[in-house]
Amino acid sequence: MFSKRLWMKESRSVWWIVIILVLGFLYAQTGGLYSDTKDWQMQYDYFQSDGFQEQQQMADGDSKMTPEQVKASLTLSYFTTGFPGDKFSTHYTMSRSYFALSILVVILGLAMVSWERYTRKDHFSLVAPFKRSSMIGVKLLLGCLSITVAYGISLWLGLRHLFLVIPSDFIDLDMQKVYVGLLGNLGTFLLLFVLAIFVGTIMGELLATVITLLVITVMPRYIYTVWFILMQLLYPDTSSDKFANWTSYANVFVIFGNSEFEYGPFILQLVLLVLFGMGSVLFYKRYSIENNGKVLAFSYLRIPCAVLVSFGGAILVANFWFSDGQMELPSMTTFLIILAGSFIGCLVICYMVLYRNTWVRR
């Protein structure tokens, strides 16, 4: 794992993705925070201008701002999406570039395992004089270090500029929420990367890997929606406000998904990160080149994967069915029929792909 040749070999195969990733983080975080700082300065200059003072002298009643309201509108209290009310809030978190960054970290993981197998470059890699555990360890460390360094440097540059411009009198941050939010975002990027590595180790076909990643990352949010509908059907006389709010847990794969700044979703991210990392090492060591091009690299995973994908398919179908312009809740019978029918239908499709398709018979 500490071989210089091994690190150089792995770096050469993904250097272009790492460069794009670094530039993406600089654009999203450094550039976004610079833009927010400019907006704050423009707002501050406006409140200090003669035009604003004259406007306030002519205003009366509710249209006139008090000094406390002016200071509140300039006070930085948020580093995430939300509804800050009369507080100043950064808008770099609203950028679509974070969605592109999420895709990039997944591509980085796919390039290290799945793309290598798709192009048959793993035939050369696995005959190299390195242990398989060292190879997958370097892949994981290289990707995690690249993401962490790019995330940390771009965020530091942006925050440094922001804190240099905005006086401390206008900063009122809850540091616990700041740390949980920003570290949680980093955890999400790392989790997406390690998940791509893990799925790539158990799949032998690139398209199947992409589909499985899509199902795993999207499914938690829809599970929460279907669970919420089930609770409303079971307890029709109970207010929806009484039900547990699992939104932050359901958004574990979403950047800025921990909108409540809770420790639970952050801990869940760390647990999943460790489990997927250990699973990647375990399956990579046992992978056979002969399974390249198959849907699943390990035959004993057919049934668990078929059940998981069928469950995810049933959740997605049920969610789209019930949310397609329907104002009223379905009956419990309809709810169960849709879930069971979708699950069985997806299970039949999985059987046809995993047991009848020629991909697994070559």
Side-chain angles (χ1 to χ4, degrees):
M1 184 179 295
F2 300 101
S3 172
K4 180 180 178 181
R5 291 175 56 196
L6 180 57
W7 280 85
M8 292 181 63
K9 169 189 171 298
E10 297 297 339
S11 300
R12 282 196 298 265
S13 61
V14 295
W15 65 268
W16 59 277
I17 303 179
V18 173
I19 291 177
I20 296 176
L21 192 65
V22 171
L23 294 176
F25 273 114
L26 289 174
Y27 173 78
Q29 299 198 136
T30 306
L33 287 169
Y34 266 66
S35 177
D36 288 332
T37 306
K38 182 179 178 181
D39 292 341
W40 184 92
Q41 187 66 58
M42 291 175 61
Q43 189 171 342
Y44 177 81
D45 292 340
Y46 169 72
F47 286 134
Q48 300 298 319
S49 65
D50 296 335
F52 175 76
Q53 300 301 327
E54 293 176 359
Q55 180 183 359
Q56 291 298 297
Q57 291 176 1
M58 297 176 60
D60 56 356
D62 296 336
S63 60
K64 187 174 183 178
M65 296 182 65
T66 64
E68 291 76 15
Q69 290 176 325
V70 171
K71 183 177 181 180
S73 64
L74 291 172
T75 300
L76 175 64
S77 301
Y78 299 86
F79 271 126
T80 184
T81 57
F83 303 94
D86 58 352
K87 299 285 187 177
F88 178 81
S89 177
T90 54
H91 293 282
Y92 82 101
T93 57
M94 304 288 187
S95 176
R96 295 181 181 179
S97 56
Y98 278 91
F99 178 72
L101 286 172
S102 301
I103 296 177
L104 274 177
V105 297
V106 171
I107 292 176
L108 179 62
L110 292 175
M112 288 185 167
V113 178
S114 298
W115 183 254
E116 189 178 66
R117 289 174 178 170
Y118 180 77
T119 57
R120 300 297 190 268
K121 290 183 179 180
D122 58 341
H123 288 246
F124 300 97
S125 297
L126 296 180
V127 298
F130 305 112
K131 294 182 179 180
R132 289 197 178 190
S133 57
S134 298
M135 295 176 65
I136 189 63
V138 169
K139 292 177 186 292
L140 289 169
L141 287 176
L142 178 62
C144 290
L145 285 174
S146 300
I147 295 170
T148 303
V149 171
Y151 179 89
I153 292 178
S154 61
L155 186 62
W156 177 78
L157 290 173
L159 292 178
R160 179 176 179 272
H161 176 70
L162 184 141
F163 290 141
L164 285 175
V165 173
I166 301 180
S168 58
D169 294 340
F170 295 98
I171 297 177
D172 183 24
L173 295 171
D174 186 336
M175 296 311 297
Q176 174 184 333
K177 293 183 178 181
V178 170
Y179 291 138
V180 172
L182 297 182
L183 290 178
N185 292 338
L186 175 59
T188 304
F189 284 121
L190 295 177
L191 181 58
L192 289 171
F193 165 74
V194 176
L195 176 63
I197 292 284
F198 170 74
V199 175
T201 59
I202 64 175
M203 295 286 181
E205 207 276 332
L206 182 59
L207 179 59
T209 303
V210 175
I211 294 175
T212 304
L213 281 172
L214 184 62
V215 171
I216 293 176
T217 54
V218 171
M219 186 172 56
R221 284 176 285 174
Y222 292 114
I223 289 178
Y224 176 77
T225 303
V226 174
W227 172 86
F228 194 78
I229 294 176
L230 178 61
M231 290 297 101
Q232 289 179 302
L233 292 174
L234 291 175
Y235 307 100
D237 298 329
T238 304
S239 174
S240 59
D241 298 335
K242 301 296 183 181
F243 299 139
N245 187 355
W246 301 98
T247 304
S248 296
Y249 291 89
N251 291 333
V252 68
F253 295 108
V254 180
I255 307 299
F256 304 108
N258 189 5
S259 57
E260 301 297 328
F261 306 103
E262 299 173 343
Y263 284 109
F266 180 65
I267 295 175
L268 176 62
Q269 281 185 338
L270 297 181
V271 172
L272 292 176
L273 196 61
V274 173
L275 292 177
F276 286 138
M278 294 174 60
S280 300
V281 176
L282 175 65
F283 287 113
Y284 192 85
K285 291 171 62 176
R286 299 184 177 184
Y287 185 83
S288 174
I289 297 178
E290 297 177 355
N291 293 326
N292 281 354
K294 295 183 179 180
V295 176
L296 282 171
F298 304 94
S299 58
Y300 54 82
L301 292 179
R302 289 177 180 176
I303 294 178
C305 286
V307 172
L308 176 63
V309 172
S310 299
F311 176 74
I315 292 295
L316 293 177
V317 171
N319 181 82
F320 293 141
W321 184 283
F322 298 136
S323 63
D324 187 18
Q326 296 188 15
M327 300 300 294
E328 298 181 356
L329 291 175
S331 65
M332 179 62 75
T333 302
T334 303
F335 180 82
L336 294 177
I337 290 176
I338 295 298
L339 277 181
S342 302
F343 179 80
I344 294 173
C346 293
L347 200 61
V348 171
I349 296 175
C350 289
Y351 171 78
M352 295 174 62
V353 172
L354 295 177
Y355 288 91
R356 308 285 295 180
N357 201 292
T358 56
W359 292 348
V360 296
R361 295 180 178 273
R362 285 190 295 180

